[in-house]
Amino acid sequence: SKATVSVLNCPPLQPLPASTMSAAIHKIRKSHRANATKQELTVAQVLYDMCQKSNNLKASLSGFSINSVKEFEVSSSKQACIVFYPLRFIRKVKKVQKNITQTLEKKLGKTVLFVAQRKVQGKSMAPGVTVQRSRTMKAVHEAVLEDIVYPAEVCARRVRQLTDGSKHLKVYLDAKDMDRSKGKVETFETAYNKLTGRGVKFGFMSDAALQQVVA
């Protein structure tokens, strides 16, 4: 059995009428274009406009389209959104992600995260059939975590077994990214919980080898 790790319980915005769609619609997955939300069209338009202004970006995102955009609430006064895109584009996206994220955040007025679409493959009951490690729940959750915090780097993960049997995950990011990421920690934690159903807390570490925790 397979389950896609991308479900957020957020009410979708109403789709715009077809008459308002432009060439930017091609930045949305073909099968989803007819039902694209206002927010998805906005993201597509920004990506399209950026590609028109930059030949390098146009080359990097050639053939690129988003799967969907999901908004979620971080707190009563803070919203954020996740842009889901096909896994095959992950290397290209990460090369230009910092630039496009900054532009989208200015346009939308909220934190924007990019997460590649992945699937968790359940254990097969057939004898001799093994699941690829990249599709195990553990591997997918680790990859989702790295996508959420990018371009910050994960230095260490610590899992504590609590007396009630539950597990507490603490993730340490590289301290060199602290100025850029500290204000987004709550968003990272909420996004990870929405996507995986698991809680996480973040800290910062200056030297992974020496386990020097700074925050």
Coordinates of all heavy atoms in Angstrom, one line a residue, residues 8 10 39 43 68-74 78-84 101 104-105 108-115 187 191:
L8 N -2.6 18.2 4.0 CA -2.9 19.2 5.1 C -4.4 19.5 5.1 O -5.0 19.6 4.1 CB -2.1 20.5 4.8 CG -0.6 20.4 4.7 CD1 0.0 21.8 4.3 CD2 0.0 19.9 6.0
C10 N -6.5 21.9 5.3 CA -6.7 23.3 5.1 C -7.8 23.5 4.0 O -7.6 22.8 3.0 CB -5.4 24.0 4.7 SG -4.1 23.7 5.8
Q39 N -4.3 30.9 -4.8 CA -2.9 31.0 -4.3 C -1.9 30.2 -5.2 O -0.8 30.6 -5.4 CB -2.9 30.4 -2.9 CG -1.5 30.5 -2.2 CD -1.7 30.9 -0.7 OE1 -1.4 32.0 -0.3 NE2 -2.1 29.9 0.1
V43 N 1.3 31.8 -7.2 CA 2.7 31.2 -7.1 C 3.2 30.9 -8.6 O 4.3 31.2 -8.9 CB 2.7 29.9 -6.3 CG1 4.0 29.2 -6.5 CG2 2.5 30.2 -4.8
S68 N 1.0 21.5 -6.1 CA -0.1 22.2 -5.4 C 0.6 23.1 -4.4 O 1.8 23.1 -4.1 CB -1.0 21.2 -4.6 OG -0.2 20.4 -3.7
V69 N -0.3 24.0 -3.8 CA 0.2 24.9 -2.7 C -0.8 24.8 -1.6 O -2.1 24.9 -1.8 CB 0.2 26.4 -3.2 CG1 0.6 27.3 -2.1 CG2 1.2 26.5 -4.4
K70 N -0.4 24.5 -0.4 CA -1.2 24.3 0.8 C -0.9 25.4 1.8 O 0.3 25.5 2.2 CB -1.1 22.9 1.4 CG -1.4 21.8 0.4 CD -2.9 21.8 0.0 CE -3.2 20.7 -1.0 NZ -4.6 20.7 -1.5
E71 N -1.9 26.1 2.3 CA -1.7 27.1 3.3 C -2.0 26.4 4.7 O -2.9 25.6 4.8 CB -2.6 28.3 3.1 CG -2.4 29.4 4.0 CD -3.3 30.6 3.7 OE1 -4.4 30.4 3.2 OE2 -2.8 31.8 3.9
F72 N -1.3 26.8 5.7 CA -1.6 26.3 7.1 C -1.4 27.4 8.1 O -0.7 28.4 7.8 CB -0.8 25.1 7.4 CG 0.7 25.3 7.4 CD1 1.4 25.5 8.6 CD2 1.5 25.3 6.2 CE1 2.8 25.7 8.7 CE2 2.8 25.5 6.3 CZ 3.5 25.7 7.5
E73 N -2.0 27.3 9.2 CA -1.9 28.3 10.3 C -0.8 27.9 11.3 O -0.8 26.8 11.8 CB -3.2 28.4 11.0 CG -3.3 29.5 12.1 CD -4.7 29.6 12.7 OE1 -5.5 30.3 12.2 OE2 -4.8 28.9 13.8
V74 N 0.1 28.8 11.5 CA 1.2 28.6 12.4 C 0.8 29.1 13.8 O 1.0 28.4 14.8 CB 2.5 29.4 12.0 CG1 3.6 29.2 13.0 CG2 2.9 28.9 10.6
K78 N -0.3 34.2 12.3 CA 0.8 33.8 11.3 C 0.3 32.7 10.5 O -0.1 31.7 10.9 CB 2.1 33.5 12.0 CG 3.2 33.2 11.1 CD 4.5 32.6 11.8 CE 5.1 33.7 12.7 NZ 6.3 33.1 13.3
Q79 N 0.4 32.9 9.1 CA 0.1 31.9 8.2 C 1.4 31.6 7.4 O 2.3 32.4 7.3 CB -1.0 32.4 7.2 CG -2.3 32.8 7.8 CD -3.1 31.6 8.2 OE1 -3.2 30.6 7.5 NE2 -3.8 31.6 9.3
A80 N 1.4 30.4 6.8 CA 2.5 30.0 6.0 C 2.0 29.1 4.9 O 0.8 28.7 5.0 CB 3.6 29.3 6.8
C81 N 2.8 28.8 3.9 CA 2.3 27.8 2.9 C 3.4 27.0 2.4 O 4.6 27.3 2.5 CB 1.6 28.6 1.7 SG 2.7 29.6 0.7
I82 N 3.0 25.8 1.9 CA 4.0 24.8 1.4 C 3.7 24.6 -0.1 O 2.6 24.4 -0.5 CB 3.9 23.5 2.1 CG1 4.2 23.6 3.6 CG2 4.8 22.4 1.4 CD1 4.0 22.3 4.3
V83 N 4.8 24.8 -0.9 CA 4.7 24.5 -2.3 C 5.2 23.1 -2.6 O 6.4 22.8 -2.3 CB 5.5 25.5 -3.2 CG1 5.4 25.2 -4.6 CG2 5.0 27.0 -2.9
F84 N 4.3 22.2 -3.1 CA 4.7 20.9 -3.4 C 5.1 20.8 -4.9 O 4.4 21.4 -5.7 CB 3.6 19.9 -3.1 CG 3.2 19.8 -1.6 CD1 2.1 20.4 -1.1 CD2 4.0 18.9 -0.8 CE1 1.8 20.3 0.3 CE2 3.7 18.8 0.5 CZ 2.6 19.5 1.1
T101 N 12.1 31.8 -3.2 CA 11.4 31.9 -1.9 C 11.3 33.3 -1.4 O 10.2 33.7 -1.0 CB 12.2 31.0 -0.9 OG1 12.2 29.6 -1.3 CG2 11.5 31.1 0.5
L104 N 8.6 35.1 -3.5 CA 7.3 34.6 -3.2 C 6.8 35.1 -1.8 O 5.7 35.5 -1.6 CB 7.2 33.1 -3.2 CG 7.1 32.4 -4.6 CD1 7.4 30.9 -4.5 CD2 5.8 32.7 -5.2
E105 N 7.8 35.2 -0.8 CA 7.4 35.6 0.5 C 7.0 37.1 0.5 O 6.1 37.5 1.2 CB 8.6 35.3 1.5 CG 8.7 33.9 1.8 CD 9.8 33.5 2.8 OE1 10.7 34.4 3.0 OE2 9.8 32.4 3.4
L108 N 3.5 37.1 -1.2 CA 2.4 36.5 -0.4 C 2.3 37.0 1.0 O 1.3 36.9 1.7 CB 2.5 35.0 -0.4 CG 2.5 34.3 -1.8 CD1 2.8 32.8 -1.6 CD2 1.2 34.5 -2.4
G109 N 3.4 37.6 1.5 CA 3.4 38.2 2.8 C 3.4 37.1 3.9 O 2.9 37.3 5.0
K110 N 4.0 35.9 3.6 CA 4.1 34.8 4.6 C 5.2 33.9 4.2 O 5.8 34.0 3.1 CB 2.8 34.0 4.5 CG 2.5 33.3 3.2 CD 1.1 32.7 3.2 CE 0.0 33.8 3.1 NZ -1.3 33.2 2.9
T111 N 5.6 33.1 5.2 CA 6.7 32.2 5.0 C 6.3 31.1 3.9 O 5.2 30.6 4.0 CB 7.1 31.4 6.3 OG1 7.5 32.4 7.2 CG2 8.2 30.4 6.0
V112 N 7.2 30.8 3.0 CA 7.0 29.9 1.9 C 8.0 28.7 2.0 O 9.2 29.0 2.1 CB 7.0 30.5 0.5 CG1 6.9 29.5 -0.6 CG2 6.0 31.6 0.4
L113 N 7.5 27.5 2.1 CA 8.4 26.3 2.1 C 8.2 25.5 0.8 O 7.1 25.5 0.3 CB 8.1 25.5 3.3 CG 8.0 26.2 4.7 CD1 7.6 25.2 5.8 CD2 9.4 26.7 5.1
F114 N 9.3 24.9 0.4 CA 9.2 24.0 -0.8 C 9.5 22.6 -0.3 O 10.5 22.3 0.3 CB 10.2 24.4 -1.9 CG 9.8 25.6 -2.7 CD1 9.9 26.9 -2.3 CD2 9.3 25.3 -4.0 CE1 9.5 28.0 -3.1 CE2 8.9 26.4 -4.8 CZ 9.0 27.7 -4.4
V115 N 8.5 21.7 -0.7 CA 8.7 20.3 -0.3 C 8.5 19.4 -1.5 O 7.4 19.5 -2.2 CB 7.7 19.9 0.8 CG1 7.7 18.4 1.1 CG2 8.0 20.7 2.1
T187 N 7.3 27.9 12.5 CA 6.8 27.4 11.2 C 7.3 26.1 10.8 O 6.5 25.2 10.3 CB 7.1 28.4 10.1 OG1 6.6 29.7 10.4 CG2 6.5 28.0 8.7
A191 N 4.9 22.8 10.3 CA 4.8 22.2 9.0 C 5.2 20.7 9.1 O 4.5 19.8 8.5 CB 5.8 22.9 8.0

